[in-house]
Structure formats: structure tokens, C-alpha cells
Amino acid sequence: MNGRLLITCPDRHGIVAAVAGFLAGSGANIITSDQHSTDPEGGEFFMRMEFTLEQGDLSALGRAFGQEVGDRLDMRWRLTDGGRPKRMAILVSKEDHCLVDLLWRHRRGELDADIALVASNHPDHRADVEGFGIPYHHVPYPNEPELLELLNDVDLVVLARYMRILSGGFLTTLDTPVINIHHSFLPAFAGANPYQRAFERGVKIIGATAHYVTEELDAGPIIEQDVARVSHREHAETMVRLGRDIERTVLARAVKWHLEDRVLVHGNRTVVF
Amino acid sequence: MNGRLLITCPDRHGIVAAVAGFLAGSGANIITSDQHSTDPEGGEFFMRMEFTLEQGDLSALGRAFGQEVGDRLDMRWRLTDGGRPKRMAILVSKEDHCLVDLLWRHRRGELDADIALVASNHPDHRADVEGFGIPYHHVPYPNEPELLELLNDVDLVVLARYMRILSGGFLTTLDTPVINIHHSFLPAFAGANPYQRAFERGVKIIGATAHYVTEELDAGPIIEQDVARVSHREHAETMVRLGRDIERTVLARAVKWHLEDRVLVHGNRTVVF
Amino acid sequence: MNGRLLITCPDRHGIVAAVAGFLAGSGANIITSDQHSTDPEGGEFFMRMEFTLEQGDLSALGRAFGQEVGDRLDMRWRLTDGGRPKRMAILVSKEDHCLVDLLWRHRRGELDADIALVASNHPDHRADVEGFGIPYHHVPYPNEPELLELLNDVDLVVLARYMRILSGGFLTTLDTPVINIHHSFLPAFAGANPYQRAFERGVKIIGATAHYVTEELDAGPIIEQDVARVSHREHAETMVRLGRDIERTVLARAVKWHLEDRVLVHGNRTVVF
Amino acid sequence: MNGRLLITCPDRHGIVAAVAGFLAGSGANIITSDQHSTDPEGGEFFMRMEFTLEQGDLSALGRAFGQEVGDRLDMRWRLTDGGRPKRMAILVSKEDHCLVDLLWRHRRGELDADIALVASNHPDHRADVEGFGIPYHHVPYPNEPELLELLNDVDLVVLARYMRILSGGFLTTLDTPVINIHHSFLPAFAGANPYQRAFERGVKIIGATAHYVTEELDAGPIIEQDVARVSHREHAETMVRLGRDIERTVLARAVKWHLEDRVLVHGNRTVVF
């Protein structure tokens, strides 16, 4: 049995010793451990430990952890079962490069998830998606009630170039992490038509940003970014083509890290272990 | 004798043939040629040709070119002498990494310029600059009249982390290209304290931008940009340190390209050959 | 009608003028022009011009060019029709990431080619390939005679992680350009198991190399390379996964450039315009 | 008081708990902790902990650690005082870009070291080095006995483009870590003239490698590497210029990490925390 323990708490003396001591005393064998402190004096402390547990069960371990360690050290923590893939849904509009890349990576075993469904405001991708054995739902816009029903029991929603804005009410009701890929190196070119605007501004580097979705458009915590060089030779249209390669890679990394419980959110920033 | 011919004109049939034919007929031997068209139908055409001229002089060649080719094809063009280094001045405030890097590169022969002077609103860099045999002027802020006098006969002004805003009136009177290094990947984080703001936004990539200065702050034509990865481990202060390496490299490239007459400005964009 | 003229010849005065003059005089409108000289004095000169021709045909233009310009200036040259996609075949073994990426890019219109067939020493990819409407041939190793028959009328062969060595006799008989993707930054780790050997050497950067195939293994002219960072955390197996993203991108770029007649071979080096 | 504890040992249950428990029980406050295991079952375990100690002294703490933890868990470990800068010597030949970059970074406070001396087989850099207040020794080749005397009490030797091979006997007698910068992405182009050979092989990427020096030339454990793109336009000489920027950055990173006790050597590989 493989467990992942994620902790956020005020930094203070003895946290590592307390957690590692608890796990060792519970028969858990720590495989990897990462920690970060914004400031050893009065800062915020983050930790991720991955461990194996040869006997016993994770929920009992979690209850004991909360009582013996978590409460005492003011921790927000969660314990996940590394052997249980998350249920993931993908939303997409016209552009299919991020969708297809996620489906292929999943088939190659790179993404440890169950892809429950793909939903789109366009009918176009049905054959491709069903070819991977995954249900495809065409939900024409406006579609928030239908989406809420479809997404009702998933652990993660991925916006793989889904070009409709999700309302604050939708996000609140959904109450599930949503990862979006934005086709610029945010905060530059938030909003619509980023490649066109990048072209007009004459930048020499374009990029893409994967972030958690919050009510404020393109302003949520950034998980990953990457860039590519462009020159005066590129039009907005060739930027679109070059950008596809960055978008799909950046989104795939962010989704993989989320699925492996490597991302902790802190205010509007992320810690990625 | 080494000449560089830079041309901007409406695209149409026969431009390359006309220019190459003129140069061949004048005894000039083309060494490199670069061209770019925003659109072969009705677009803007840019060209840079570098050539050697075994006899004759460049100004006669230029006059003939204007009469025989330039006027007929509605060209804006300039012809520079590759054997005459440009006179360059450097303005700097407290941070010396860009200044020092330019001075060393110049000493190693990487920058084909005469560095006429360094001026600063701080007294600190005198010993370093004079150690390179270059005059240092301490001109405490406000200093625009003194600067105008000092910069009166230079071909290029480089702001190597000069932290004072130059007024529109100053730029107009100066009437000389000014290259600035901004410590963010513009248009993200224009204005003050970009590393602090990058930290607060939680970006995973920081950058630097070299651009021509216009009256609108941090909005002039971009010449070069580059970036570096950061993680949650970086504070704003470590970003400052990492950023220095990008800033000095990006600025040095932009200055080198300008000195070699490789940069053409087109609206708010640049063509870099 | 869209033509591409590629030229290699000894550098000398007047080449650009001669070629541009000929094209202008023939009613061709130059869209892009690139040139490179290894040395203006006694070096080798390379040029690629892309042009439109409103009337007349390309083969007549070619004949005239040879007589009026090519022969006189000792040029090796070729003239291709930009409107005629090349016929391309893909060879693949077990790993499908490069294959699939080429098929998707082709479907999205990024690769201007007719994919005539996919052949493999493994049966596994039939369903995927036929799903794209492309014939799949399973040719178990040894298979050179069968391959020669299949590849008999293609313009380009792409080895998309084809793990069998092609004999010198095969290459001579085939007499068609072959592009291979090697999973290291050549010349480091030529030959088998490059990721394992990269792991053992403890490198901090892994890469991939697309090159033309010659009889000497992994030693042909390099078209494109790219790299990614690794750390002590990566095993050989995670390098394999990270490497897939580089391999597919590097191969796709090299294939695209070849299809657009941007690559000139010069000894064991390439000029990529 | 700031301590750094570095540990290598066979992986087994309870290591983190034992170390963290010991430190917490000794009044030490862990600031950062990094660990790596090559394999949780039977692999090698590496750890670096940085901590503050409000009272007591580090050597007493070290003795207690050895007795209570280190011996029991078969650890090789070292405990260093983060408040004591290492004594560092720089060897250099003709090329000064790495030397000058280290001196400037040191002056800016980026490198926590005492630079004891610079030694060279050339006399050229005396004025520059002494301008930084650092002793300069001209030791013409052959010079190993003189060097051994000069380097007799330093903690680290940096070869900042020192172009003479150090003998095995020298390294054994010196018995101090030596970091070298090699101007290629090793293992490609080990040995002499790497840029010329990179040019001849026609690579599209050049690089630099910082590594610990061992008796076998250019084969020691790699600490850091980086790369830059080149095209057919670069000659070997322009590669040399572009390479300088990579060499100085890569060397500075490796030196900084070593000075901060972030590098553990394991066979011919490094773990860099």
C-alpha cells in the first residue's frame, strides 16, 4: 500500500521529526520526502511524503496522524492512496492537440488516472475519443447544468483548450480542482487571442501556462509554464502552430503532477514537489 | 571597405534583383543578405545586405543607390560603414552587472563600438569604469540637461539598469536610439519591481527584455528576450540574482545586434537579421 | 505556381544578382530568399529562393536557368514544385510516439506530404495507422527486399524509432533520403541504449537528434537536435519518458523542414534555411 | 550557528526519523531537508539537512551524531559549518571569461568563499586579479610542485579554463576537490578543441560541462551542464564566443553548489540538492 501525505502548517521546530517519527512508528517506510518553508521564522511549511505501508490501512493511519500530530501542529493535511487513480474528465472545444496528447499519454501509461469522460461544446471529436474507449458527450453551449451533472463524481477536470468561461457559481457547485491551459506566458496576454496580441506586441518568446481555475479569468495559481522562441518571421498563425507543442507539454506536466499529488496551493502560488 | 545596406519598402516584384544588380554593377561583393516580407502581396519588405567594395567610396555609392534604386522603389534605406564603430554611451544606476558585462565584452572584442562614456546618478562605479580606461560621469538626479550635453555626439545610448525614467522631451532632443534592459519578460510586469511582482504572481519562469526606449514606459519595440526557470524555492531576492544572468546576456545580444546594424524597427515590432 | 530553387556553388561575385535577375526577367516573384556562404573568399555558397510564377511552367524555367545561370556559375541546383507534396513512408518498430505524432501533425495540416504507407517489423500499430486511412505493412525482420519494394516510389523515408540497422546496400538501392531520430544528443551515445548510457555517465541534459541516414551508424548529417534537463532523480526509465517528448518534436521539425526543401547537405553538415 | 549535514548510506526504514529525531532532540532547527534514494529496496540513500543550532557547538553535535546515528545506520556523513566560507583557489590559462565572472560574482556576494589565490601558467591576468585584491601567482608550466605548495591549504580548486592536464600523482597529493569547466556537453567532444570538432560534426547545439576532476581526462562526475543553439551560420570561432556565456554560467553554478555543500558524489554520478 502506497500513501502520500501532504501537509501545510506554520513552520516551527520539530515538524520533520514528528512526522517522520510517527510514520516510522506506524510501520510506514518513507520513499520520498520533500519540504519547503517560506521562512524558517514564522513562515509557512509544506511537506509531501510518499511511503509504503506493509500492513494496516490508510484511513486508520490518517485518523491516528490527525490526533497525534496534525492537530497538535496546526496542520492542514491530506492523505491519499497512491494505488487509487483519480477520476478525471476532459473538456475541450475545437482544437484537439491537448486532448489527443492527454489520451495518448494515458494509453502509454504516463498518466495515472481513469479518464471518465470527454465533454465538448463541439461534436467533432467523438470518433477520436471513442476510439480510445472513452465516452464522449456533446454538450452545446450554454451547458453548465449538463456539465455539472456529468462531472458530478470526478476528482479532476482538465480544460484542454476549452474556450468557454466557467462561471463562479459553476466552480463553487463543482467544488473540484479544474486545471486550464492558457496559450500565453501569463500574466502576459491574459484573456482572448493571446497569439495575436503577442504578435502585435512583437515579443521574441511565446509561452503557455497551466493553472488552477478560479473565478477570476486566467488569474488562478500557476502550476507550470514553458516557452518557445519566435522571430519576426512568425505570423500569429505560425505562432499558433508552434504554441501547440508547448501547450500540450505544459498541460500534460501539470496534470501528471496533480495526479501524483505533487501540487500544493498557497494563496495564489503553488508549491510543486 | 565594408558596407551595410538596410532597406524598408513596400513589397513588389523585382526588389532583390534591383538591389543585387545595382551592387554587382557597382563592383560591390555581397557577403550576406537577409530579407523578410510581412506579406508578398501588399506587405512591407525588409532587407539587409552586407558587402565589400574594393574601390570607390560609400557615400558616392549611397547617392547613386538612392537615385537609381531607392527613389524608384519607395525605399527608406540607410547605408552604414561596417569599418566605423559606433560611439556608445552607457547609463547606469546602482546595479553594476550589465555595465560590467558590457565593459568586459567590449574589452574582449565582442562589441564593435567606441564606448565614449559611462554616466550614472550614483558615484559608485567610478573606479571600475576608469579601470577600463573609460570616462565616468556622476550626474545626480535630476540630470537631463547634463545628460543631453554628455550624450550630444553619441550614436547609441544603452540603459544598463538605469532606474530613472527619461522624459519624452529628453528623448526627442536626444534623437538617438536608446536601448533599455527591463527585468521581466515584457509585457508582463512592466513598470517597477518586476521580480517582486513575478514572485507574488507565482510564475514558474522569469525573464528579461531588451527594447528601444519610447516615451511610453516599457512599451517600445522589443529587440531580444530570454527567460529562466524558477520554482517555489525562489524568493524575490533569489530571482533578482538569477535574473542578473539573463539581463546581462539579453542586453549584450541586443546591443551587439544594434551595433552590427541588424535591427530594423517596424511600428512597434523589430526585424532582427 | 510556387517554385523552390536550391543552389550550391563556389562563392564568387554576382551570384545573387544573377539568380535574382534571371527570376525577375522570367516573371517570377521572389517570396523568400536565404543564403549562406562558408567564406566569401573561396568558400561554398548556398541559396534557397521561394517564388511564385504566374504563367509558364517550372520545367521550362529550370531548363532555361541551367543554361543561362547554373552551368556558367558551376551550380548544383534543384528546382521543386512547392505545390506538389512529397510522398513519404514511415518505418517504425515498437515505440509509437514518433509515429503517432507525425500522423496527427499530418492530419492537422502541419506536414505537407502524402503519407504513402507505414511499415513495421512489428504488427502492433495496424489499427492506429489504418484509423488515419493510411496503409500499414507488417514486414518481419529480415525484411530489406520487401521494404525496397514498398519504398520503391517514395520521395522520403522517415525512421520514426525504427530499431533495425539498414545496410549500405539497402541505402544505395533505395537512393532516397532517409531521416532517422536518434534518442541522444549525438555524437554522445551513438549506438544502442543511449538513455541507459546517459544515466550511467550521469549527464544533466538528455537530447535527441534527427539526421540523414548514411551507411555509418548514427554518423549522418544532423538536421535538428534538442535537449531537456534531467537530475539525479531520473532513472534510465524516466529519461525514456522525458525523451519521448523531445524525440517526437525534433523528428517532426526535421521532417517538416525537409518537406519544405529547407535542408541542404554539405559534406557531413547541413544548412537549414 | 548554521550546520549542514550530508549523509550517504544504504536505504532502509527509519533513516529520516532517526536523523530528524536526533536533530530535534539536540536543539537543532531543520531549515531545509532534501533526500534521494536510488531504490527504496536495497538502494543508496542520500540526504542533506541544513539546520540552525542556537546553543552548543557543531563538533560536539557531530561526535554525538556519529555515535548515536551514523555508526548504527552505516552512514558516510559529514557536518559542515555554514558560517565558515571555504578557501578556494582558481587556476586559469589564457581565456579570462570564467575567471572574471567568478571574481565579479564573488564581489557581489554570490559565492560564499574566500578566494585565496589565482594561479596561472600565463602572466596576463595579474592586473585584473590584483584589482580585486586577490594574490596572483604566475607559475609557468611545468608547474605541479609549485602548484602543490600554493594549494596546500585550500578547500577547493577551480579550473576556470586551465588548459593543462593535471597528473594523477598531483591529484592524489592535492587530495582536494577540483572542479573543471569543459567546453562541450560531455561525453561528446572530450579532449582538445571541442568547438572545432562540434563544428565539423555539424551539431545544432553546443554546450559546457562542469565536473569534478579525476585522473581520467574529462570523465569525472558531472555537476552541471548547459547548452545553446547554433546554426550553419556559426563557424568554430563564433561557437567559441557563444560558448563563453555558457561556460561561465555553468561553472559558476557548479562552484556555488559545491560551496553550499549541495553536491554528493556517488560513483561517477552526482546528486545535487
Side-chain angles (χ1 to χ4, degrees):
Chain A
M1 182 157 290
N2 191 277
R4 298 170 190 154
L5 179 60
L6 290 106
I7 293 169
T8 309
C9 66
D11 200 357
R12 60 207 292 177
H13 288 221
I15 300 175
V16 180
V19 177
F22 171 85
L23 288 176
S26 311
N29 184 28
I30 298 170
I31 299 171
T32 65
S33 166
D34 289 283
Q35 61 175 91
H36 173 62
S37 175
T38 58
D39 187 343
E41 304 300 324
E44 197 77 6
F45 179 89
F46 304 88
M47 189 158 68
R48 178 185 186 274
M49 279 189 172
E50 202 166 336
F51 58 86
T52 53
L53 187 66
E54 279 172 35
Q55 50 193 19
D57 72 296
L58 280 178
S59 35
L61 189 81
R63 276 192 306 275
F65 179 78
Q67 285 160 12
E68 294 173 36
V69 183
D71 293 351
R72 186 166 52 87
L73 297 174
D74 295 322
M75 291 174 169
R76 278 167 294 134
W77 59 274
R78 64 179 199 268
L79 181 60
T80 66
D81 179 351
R84 195 191 72 85
K86 297 194 201 314
R87 280 175 63 79
M88 166 174 142
I90 303 174
L91 303 196
V92 64
S93 292
K94 272 259 172 196
E95 293 262 20
D96 69 354
H97 53 285
C98 288
L99 168 68
V100 162
D101 197 50
L102 290 172
L103 296 178
W104 277 99
R105 286 180 196 270
H106 181 254
R107 196 170 107 172
R108 271 183 208 111
E110 288 185 22
L111 300 176
D112 185 30
D114 291 333
I115 303 186
L117 65 99
V118 173
S120 176
N121 53 330
H122 289 272
D124 316 33
H125 314 300
R126 180 177 301 280
D128 288 335
V129 171
E130 292 180 349
F132 283 88
I134 293 168
Y136 186 80
H137 299 268
H138 175 214
V139 278
Y141 188 83
N143 55 15
E144 292 202 342
E146 294 85 346
L147 284 180
L148 280 176
E149 206 158 312
L150 285 170
L151 302 176
N152 145 62
D153 69 340
V154 302
D155 302 311
L156 172 68
V157 177
V158 177
L159 308 186
R161 299 295 310 268
Y162 181 70
M163 306 308 280
R164 291 292 179 174
I165 293 170
L166 300 174
S167 71
F170 176 89
L171 293 171
T172 307
T173 311
L174 181 64
D175 195 24
T176 295
V178 180
I179 296 177
N180 181 47
I181 181 72
H182 183 78
H183 38 322
S184 83
F185 52 85
L186 289 174
F189 311 121
N193 294 325
Y195 290 121
Q196 180 59 37
R197 288 153 61 208
F199 172 78
E200 282 161 14
R201 181 62 189 89
V203 296
K204 301 299 185 184
I205 283 176
I206 57 170
T209 305
H211 64 95
Y212 288 114
V213 174
T214 56
E215 194 169 348
E216 192 183 343
L217 187 65
D218 298 332
I222 293 172
I223 307 169
E224 171 63 341
Q225 301 187 291
D226 213 342
V227 296
R229 286 202 155 263
V230 293
S231 78
H232 58 266
R233 292 181 193 275
E234 265 72 59
H235 310 103
E237 305 82 56
T238 53
M239 286 185 185
V240 167
R241 179 173 58 71
L242 293 171
R244 277 185 208 135
D245 282 357
I246 322 172
E247 293 165 29
R248 65 178 185 174
T249 313
V250 166
L251 180 60
R253 276 189 218 135
V255 167
K256 182 176 175 60
W257 294 340
H258 179 93
L259 292 173
E260 295 173 359
D261 295 305
R262 298 186 177 281
V263 190
L264 286 124
V265 174
H266 179 228
N268 206 38
R269 315 180 71 246
T270 61
V271 171
V272 181
F273 283 130
Chain B
M1 182 157 292
N2 191 278
R4 297 170 190 154
L5 179 59
L6 289 106
I7 293 168
T8 308
C9 66
D11 201 358
R12 59 208 289 177
H13 289 221
I15 300 174
V16 180
V19 177
F22 170 85
L23 288 176
S26 310
N29 184 27
I30 298 170
I31 301 172
T32 64
S33 167
D34 289 283
Q35 59 174 92
H36 173 63
S37 175
T38 59
D39 187 344
E41 304 299 326
E44 197 77 5
F45 179 89
F46 305 88
M47 188 157 68
R48 178 186 186 273
M49 279 189 172
E50 202 167 336
F51 58 87
T52 54
L53 187 66
E54 276 169 39
Q55 49 193 17
D57 72 296
L58 280 179
S59 36
L61 188 82
R63 277 192 305 277
F65 178 78
Q67 285 159 15
E68 295 175 36
V69 184
D71 293 352
R72 184 165 52 86
L73 297 174
D74 295 322
M75 291 176 171
R76 277 165 296 135
W77 58 273
R78 64 179 200 268
L79 181 60
T80 66
D81 179 350
R84 196 191 71 85
K86 297 193 200 316
R87 280 176 62 79
M88 165 174 143
I90 303 174
L91 303 196
V92 64
S93 293
K94 272 261 170 192
E95 292 262 20
D96 69 354
H97 55 283
C98 288
L99 167 68
V100 163
D101 197 52
L102 290 173
L103 296 178
W104 276 100
R105 286 181 196 270
H106 182 254
R107 195 170 108 173
R108 271 183 208 111
E110 289 186 22
L111 300 176
D112 185 30
D114 290 333
I115 302 186
L117 65 99
V118 174
S120 176
N121 54 330
H122 288 271
D124 317 32
H125 314 300
R126 181 176 301 278
D128 290 333
V129 171
E130 293 180 350
F132 284 88
I134 293 168
Y136 186 79
H137 299 268
H138 174 212
V139 278
Y141 189 83
N143 56 14
E144 292 201 342
E146 294 85 347
L147 283 179
L148 280 176
E149 206 157 311
L150 285 171
L151 303 176
N152 143 62
D153 69 340
V154 301
D155 303 311
L156 172 67
V157 177
V158 177
L159 308 187
R161 298 296 308 269
Y162 181 70
M163 307 308 282
R164 292 290 179 177
I165 293 171
L166 301 173
S167 71
F170 176 90
L171 294 170
T172 307
T173 311
L174 181 64
D175 195 24
T176 297
V178 180
I179 296 178
N180 181 47
I181 181 72
H182 183 79
H183 38 321
S184 83
F185 50 85
L186 289 174
F189 311 120
N193 295 322
Y195 290 122
Q196 179 61 35
R197 287 154 62 209
F199 172 79
E200 282 162 12
R201 181 61 188 90
V203 297
K204 301 299 185 184
I205 283 176
I206 58 170
T209 305
H211 64 96
Y212 288 115
V213 174
T214 57
E215 194 170 346
E216 192 184 343
L217 186 67
D218 299 331
I222 292 171
I223 307 169
E224 171 63 341
Q225 301 186 291
D226 213 339
V227 296
R229 288 203 153 261
V230 292
S231 77
H232 59 267
R233 293 182 190 274
E234 265 73 58
H235 310 103
E237 303 84 54
T238 53
M239 287 185 184
V240 167
R241 180 174 57 73
L242 293 171
R244 280 187 206 131
D245 283 357
I246 322 171
E247 292 164 30
R248 66 179 185 173
T249 313
V250 166
L251 180 60
R253 278 188 217 136
V255 168
K256 183 176 174 61
W257 295 340
H258 179 92
L259 292 173
E260 294 173 358
D261 295 306
R262 299 186 175 281
V263 190
L264 287 125
V265 174
H266 178 230
N268 207 38
R269 315 180 71 244
T270 60
V271 171
V272 181
F273 284 130
Chain C
M1 181 159 292
N2 189 277
R4 297 170 190 153
L5 179 60
L6 290 107
I7 293 168
T8 309
C9 67
D11 201 358
R12 60 206 293 175
H13 288 219
I15 300 175
V16 180
V19 177
F22 171 85
L23 288 176
S26 310
N29 184 27
I30 299 170
I31 301 172
T32 66
S33 166
D34 289 284
Q35 60 174 93
H36 173 63
S37 175
T38 59
D39 187 345
E41 302 300 323
E44 197 78 6
F45 179 88
F46 305 88
M47 188 157 70
R48 177 185 186 275
M49 279 189 171
E50 203 167 334
F51 58 86
T52 53
L53 187 65
E54 278 172 37
Q55 49 193 17
D57 71 297
L58 280 179
S59 36
L61 188 82
R63 275 191 308 275
F65 179 77
Q67 284 159 16
E68 294 173 36
V69 183
D71 293 352
R72 185 166 53 86
L73 297 174
D74 296 321
M75 291 176 170
R76 279 167 293 133
W77 58 274
R78 62 179 203 268
L79 181 61
T80 65
D81 179 350
R84 196 191 71 85
K86 297 192 200 316
R87 280 175 63 77
M88 165 173 142
I90 303 174
L91 303 196
V92 64
S93 294
K94 272 258 169 194
E95 292 261 20
D96 69 355
H97 54 285
C98 288
L99 168 67
V100 162
D101 197 51
L102 290 173
L103 296 178
W104 276 100
R105 286 181 196 269
H106 181 254
R107 197 171 105 173
R108 271 185 208 109
E110 289 186 22
L111 300 176
D112 184 29
D114 290 335
I115 302 186
L117 65 98
V118 174
S120 176
N121 54 330
H122 288 273
D124 317 31
H125 314 300
R126 180 175 303 278
D128 289 334
V129 171
E130 293 180 351
F132 283 88
I134 292 168
Y136 185 80
H137 299 268
H138 174 214
V139 279
Y141 188 83
N143 56 13
E144 292 201 343
E146 294 84 347
L147 283 180
L148 280 176
E149 207 158 309
L150 285 171
L151 303 177
N152 146 63
D153 69 340
V154 301
D155 302 311
L156 172 67
V157 177
V158 177
L159 307 186
R161 296 299 307 269
Y162 181 70
M163 306 308 281
R164 292 292 179 175
I165 294 169
L166 300 173
S167 71
F170 175 90
L171 294 170
T172 308
T173 312
L174 181 64
D175 196 24
T176 296
V178 180
I179 296 178
N180 181 46
I181 181 72
H182 183 79
H183 38 322
S184 82
F185 51 85
L186 289 174
F189 312 119
N193 294 323
Y195 290 122
Q196 179 60 36
R197 287 153 64 209
F199 172 79
E200 283 163 11
R201 181 61 189 89
V203 296
K204 302 299 185 185
I205 283 177
I206 57 171
T209 305
H211 63 96
Y212 288 115
V213 174
T214 57
E215 195 170 346
E216 192 183 342
L217 186 66
D218 298 332
I222 293 171
I223 307 168
E224 171 64 339
Q225 300 186 291
D226 213 340
V227 297
R229 287 204 153 260
V230 292
S231 78
H232 58 266
R233 292 182 192 273
E234 266 72 59
H235 310 104
E237 304 82 55
T238 53
M239 287 185 184
V240 167
R241 178 173 59 73
L242 293 170
R244 277 185 208 132
D245 282 357
I246 322 171
E247 293 165 29
R248 65 178 185 174
T249 313
V250 166
L251 179 60
R253 278 189 218 136
V255 168
K256 181 175 175 62
W257 295 339
H258 179 93
L259 293 172
E260 294 171 2
D261 295 306
R262 298 186 176 280
V263 190
L264 287 125
V265 174
H266 178 228
N268 205 39
R269 314 179 72 245
T270 60
V271 170
V272 181
F273 283 132
Chain D
M1 181 158 291
N2 191 276
R4 297 169 190 154
L5 179 61
L6 291 108
I7 292 169
T8 309
C9 66
D11 201 357
R12 60 207 292 175
H13 289 220
I15 300 174
V16 180
V19 177
F22 171 85
L23 288 176
S26 310
N29 185 28
I30 299 170
I31 299 171
T32 65
S33 166
D34 288 285
Q35 60 173 90
H36 173 62
S37 175
T38 59
D39 188 344
E41 304 298 324
E44 197 77 5
F45 178 88
F46 304 87
M47 188 157 70
R48 178 186 187 273
M49 279 189 171
E50 203 168 334
F51 58 87
T52 53
L53 186 66
E54 278 171 38
Q55 50 193 18
D57 71 297
L58 279 179
S59 35
L61 189 82
R63 276 192 306 275
F65 179 77
Q67 285 159 14
E68 294 173 35
V69 184
D71 294 352
R72 185 164 54 86
L73 297 174
D74 294 322
M75 291 175 170
R76 278 168 294 134
W77 59 273
R78 63 179 200 269
L79 180 61
T80 66
D81 179 350
R84 196 190 72 85
K86 297 193 200 315
R87 279 175 65 78
M88 165 173 142
I90 303 175
L91 302 196
V92 65
S93 292
K94 271 261 170 193
E95 293 263 19
D96 69 354
H97 54 284
C98 288
L99 168 68
V100 162
D101 197 51
L102 290 173
L103 296 178
W104 276 100
R105 286 181 195 269
H106 181 255
R107 196 171 107 172
R108 271 183 208 112
E110 289 186 21
L111 299 176
D112 184 30
D114 290 334
I115 303 187
L117 64 99
V118 174
S120 176
N121 53 329
H122 289 271
D124 317 32
H125 314 301
R126 180 176 302 279
D128 290 334
V129 171
E130 292 180 351
F132 283 89
I134 292 168
Y136 186 79
H137 299 268
H138 174 214
V139 278
Y141 188 83
N143 56 13
E144 292 202 343
E146 294 84 348
L147 283 180
L148 280 176
E149 208 158 307
L150 285 170
L151 303 176
N152 145 63
D153 69 339
V154 301
D155 301 312
L156 172 67
V157 176
V158 177
L159 307 186
R161 298 297 307 269
Y162 181 70
M163 307 309 280
R164 291 293 179 174
I165 293 170
L166 300 174
S167 71
F170 176 90
L171 294 171
T172 306
T173 311
L174 181 64
D175 195 24
T176 296
V178 180
I179 296 177
N180 181 48
I181 181 72
H182 183 79
H183 38 321
S184 83
F185 52 86
L186 290 175
F189 311 121
N193 295 323
Y195 290 122
Q196 180 59 36
R197 288 153 62 210
F199 172 78
E200 283 163 12
R201 181 60 189 91
V203 296
K204 301 299 185 186
I205 282 176
I206 58 170
T209 305
H211 63 95
Y212 288 115
V213 174
T214 56
E215 195 170 345
E216 193 184 343
L217 186 66
D218 298 333
I222 293 170
I223 306 168
E224 172 62 340
Q225 301 187 291
D226 213 341
V227 297
R229 289 205 153 259
V230 293
S231 78
H232 58 268
R233 293 182 191 273
E234 264 73 58
H235 310 103
E237 304 83 56
T238 53
M239 286 186 185
V240 167
R241 180 173 58 73
L242 292 171
R244 278 186 208 133
D245 283 356
I246 322 171
E247 292 165 30
R248 65 179 185 173
T249 313
V250 166
L251 180 60
R253 276 188 219 137
V255 168
K256 183 176 174 62
W257 295 340
H258 179 93
L259 293 173
E260 295 173 358
D261 296 305
R262 298 186 176 281
V263 191
L264 287 125
V265 174
H266 179 227
N268 206 40
R269 316 180 70 244
T270 60
V271 171
V272 181
F273 283 131

